[in-house]
Amino acid sequence: MNHRLATSYDASLLGRLNHELIHDEGRRNPMTVTELTERMLDWLGKDYRAVIFERKSEPIAYALFSENDERVHLRQFYVQRAHRRCGVGVQCMQVLFSEVWPPDKRISVDVRSHNEAGIAFWRSLGFTDYSLTLETYPHQVLRQLEPAMEEMLLGE
């Protein structure tokens, strides 16, 4: 397996792979491949770098990350479906840890809470839980609080 840093010429490939990642993770992102390609171009022109992993000149995986003084944040990591569960992900991460990322920086990655396979993968590499993001919508909270608020008003 070979790897290389992505350039702006790779934005359409990365946009297509990002679209597959979004679909596979069940994300709510409605962006088209064209929009994702444009976003990727913007990111690569600013704070992000990407590494493309290839086998026989065919892309099989990519990693998109940003780096600051304290850490590397892995924003996206994707192995194409046909290349999963055969060690490709571990090989890619070994390359990133040994050849791309500084050895003295903390590495962070966000994983969807329902992605049990992804969580198991990252934990198998030594990643540990750091934070939990919770979310809701105001109308859901208000609906849930409505009975308690009515009871409070009746008690006055």
Side-chain angles (χ1 to χ4, degrees):
M1 177 172 57
N2 297 317
H3 70 281
R4 62 183 175 81
L5 279 176
T7 69
S8 59
Y9 296 108
D10 296 305
S12 61
L13 165 67
L14 293 170
R16 181 178 55 81
L17 294 175
N18 187 200
H19 194 260
E20 291 177 17
L21 171 64
I22 289 167
H23 181 266
D24 286 0
E25 288 186 336
R27 291 190 178 262
R28 296 183 293 246
N29 187 336
M31 293 174 78
T32 65
V33 172
T34 301
E35 291 169 326
L36 293 168
T37 297
E38 291 171 7
R39 182 176 73 170
M40 196 66 71
L41 259 175
D42 184 53
W43 282 348
L44 292 174
K46 292 183 181 169
D47 298 329
Y48 285 91
R49 290 186 293 156
V51 174
I52 298 173
F53 299 90
E54 298 171 325
R55 186 171 282 154
K56 297 180 183 174
S57 299
E58 290 296 318
I60 60 172
Y62 81 96
L64 178 75
F65 60 95
S66 63
E67 183 178 346
N68 64 29
D69 291 340
E70 298 174 8
R71 73 177 178 138
V72 173
H73 177 70
L74 180 58
R75 182 174 182 123
Q76 299 172 2
F77 179 66
Y78 182 69
V79 176
Q80 287 194 4
R81 296 173 194 119
H83 299 281
R84 293 183 192 156
R85 306 249 183 243
C86 61
V88 168
V90 172
Q91 289 177 339
C92 293
M93 293 309 300
Q94 193 276 332
V95 167
L96 292 169
F97 282 121
S98 65
E99 299 180 36
V100 178
W101 295 333
D104 59 341
K105 287 197 181 174
R106 182 172 37 97
I107 311 298
S108 66
V109 62
D110 299 322
V111 186
R112 306 253 317 170
S113 59
H114 74 276
N115 183 353
E116 293 177 15
I119 292 169
F121 172 76
W122 295 112
R123 286 184 177 153
S124 77
L125 294 175
F127 285 78
T128 58
D129 296 1
Y130 175 72
S131 68
L132 175 66
T133 302
L134 303 174
E135 66 176 20
T136 191
Y137 290 96
H139 68 274
Q140 291 173 328
V141 172
L142 292 172
R143 191 173 31 228
Q144 193 170 354
L145 291 177
E146 200 169 273
M149 294 303 292
E150 285 179 18
E151 187 174 309
M152 285 175 53
L153 291 174
L154 290 175
E156 289 183 355

